[in-house]
Amino acid sequence: MAWLDLTDKVAVVTGGGSGIGQGIAIGLADAGAMVAVLDRDEGSLHTVDDITSRGGQARFVRCDVTDDHSVAAAAGESLKALGPASILVNNAGALRAGSLDTLSMSDWQANLALNLTGYFSCAQAFGAQMLKKGTGAIVHIASVSAHFPQNHSGAYSPGKAAVAMLSQQLATEWGPRGVRSNVVCPGLIRTPMTQAIYDTPGVLEARRAMVPRGRIGEPKDIANAVVFLASDRADYITGAEIVVDGGFTRGIMNLIPRPGYDAK
Ligand code: NDP
């Protein structure tokens, strides 16, 4: 991890208590960062325990990212306990099913409040600490769904697409003030959010067969890309996106029936 050294940097990870966020929090701490693990409840303390048992430094900060008062309080608590943030990873999100013809307005708004407005709210609150110092890096966890619509997923894809643009606007507005902003788009990752899907017989094998890399992703796969983007090694990278999907979304041409051209 020396190449990606984050010693003395304060990193904030939203939704750090589970899945991809937990993997990212551990990855950042392994690279030397002091990590504020933001999540809704104390269930997330096990991320802090994991990090401290590996010799790292972390602190749980309760935060509901859909509530801007809670975000402001978390930014204050993290600042007081660890110092100004150098890194923010906007990760807390959820997939809620819903078909567009019947989706209620409250479901639409609840989804965007978490998957989009929460990202802006945290970028503004923790970004203020970075802008004051004149340096910082924000990484937003979007999804391959930002670019490929997935039916019956309500506002999830529109919200993730908007996150990709939010990141680009932050990059251009805040770049001259020393703050970078980038996106990581995960593909198929096994986490508590998706575990029920993988528990359905046959799904794991069927999904694996769609990924050129031959396996379903793990939180660590996403963490590796995030740690790089958060580090000074990515100093000239801003407004960019890294797709971390084992090649899954590159497979679209192979879905076309093409008699005579299939492998013999
Ligand atoms: P998990 O459900 O495993 O983890 C999400 C974490 O965010 C949980 O700890 C959850 O807490 C927390 N959270 C939810 N709502 C809030 C809130 N309002 N305030 C603070 N924390 C909150 O999900 P994943 O790790 O799978 O997903 C993480 C991110 O990755 C999401 O943005 C998701 O859209 C994205 N992603 C995931 C993919 C996958 O295949 N898993 C693929 C592409 C993108 P609680 O347990 O209390 O709900």
Side-chain angles (χ1 to χ4, degrees):
M1 279 293 187
W3 192 74
L4 298 169
D5 190 19
L6 301 178
T7 305
D8 296 334
K9 297 203 178 197
V10 173
V12 177
V13 183
T14 72
S18 172
I20 292 172
Q22 181 179 29
I24 291 168
I26 291 171
L28 291 165
D30 282 353
M34 293 177 279
V35 182
V37 177
L38 269 60
D39 215 303
R40 288 192 291 194
D41 57 49
E42 261 91 13
S44 309
L45 278 168
H46 64 97
T47 302
V48 174
D49 292 342
D50 281 359
I51 289 172
T52 47
S53 70
R54 296 159 78 95
Q57 293 181 70
R59 184 187 171 99
F60 169 70
V61 178
R62 186 191 302 278
C63 179
D64 178 346
V65 299
T66 64
D67 173 353
D68 53 343
H69 298 293
S70 173
V71 170
E77 184 180 333
S78 166
L79 177 66
K80 198 168 165 198
L82 302 174
S86 293
I87 296 162
L88 166 67
V89 184
N90 266 328
N91 163 81
L95 175 59
R96 275 197 195 85
S99 303
L100 293 180
D101 54 347
T102 52
L103 190 73
S104 70
M105 195 53 74
S106 64
D107 265 8
W108 171 269
Q109 278 164 350
N111 195 317
L112 291 181
L114 175 60
N115 291 316
L116 173 61
T117 310
Y119 279 45
F120 165 65
S121 177
C122 290
Q124 196 176 56
F126 290 96
Q129 298 174 13
M130 300 178 192
L131 291 168
K132 197 168 174 194
K133 285 197 308 175
T135 179
I138 304 175
V139 183
H140 310 269
I141 306 304
S143 167
V144 292
S145 310
H147 303 293
F148 300 95
Q150 189 167 26
N151 292 354
H152 314 299
S153 298
Y156 189 73
S157 282
K160 291 297 189 182
V163 162
M165 181 49 71
L166 169 67
S167 175
Q168 291 181 41
Q169 190 173 339
L170 288 169
T172 53
E173 278 195 29
W174 292 358
R177 299 168 69 188
V179 178
R180 297 184 295 109
S181 174
N182 290 292
V183 166
V184 171
C185 288
L188 307 175
I189 313 296
R190 200 166 174 165
T191 68
M193 181 170 93
T194 52
Q195 188 55 46
I197 295 170
Y198 290 102
D199 288 343
T200 308
V203 168
L204 177 62
E205 296 71 22
R207 286 190 168 207
R208 210 188 263 148
M210 299 179 77
V211 181
R213 193 66 188 83
R215 65 176 175 84
I216 299 303
E218 297 166 16
K220 192 171 176 31
D221 294 309
I222 307 306
N224 287 336
V226 170
V227 173
F228 167 68
L229 287 173
S231 78
D232 290 343
R233 296 286 170 175
D235 185 61
Y236 203 54
I237 302 176
T238 193
E241 266 183 51
I242 298 182
V243 175
V244 184
D245 72 347
F248 161 58
T249 51
R250 299 301 98 187
I252 193 161
M253 293 300 284
N254 301 318
L255 298 175
I256 305 169
R258 208 169 51 137
Y261 287 85
D262 297 330
K264 298 278 183 295

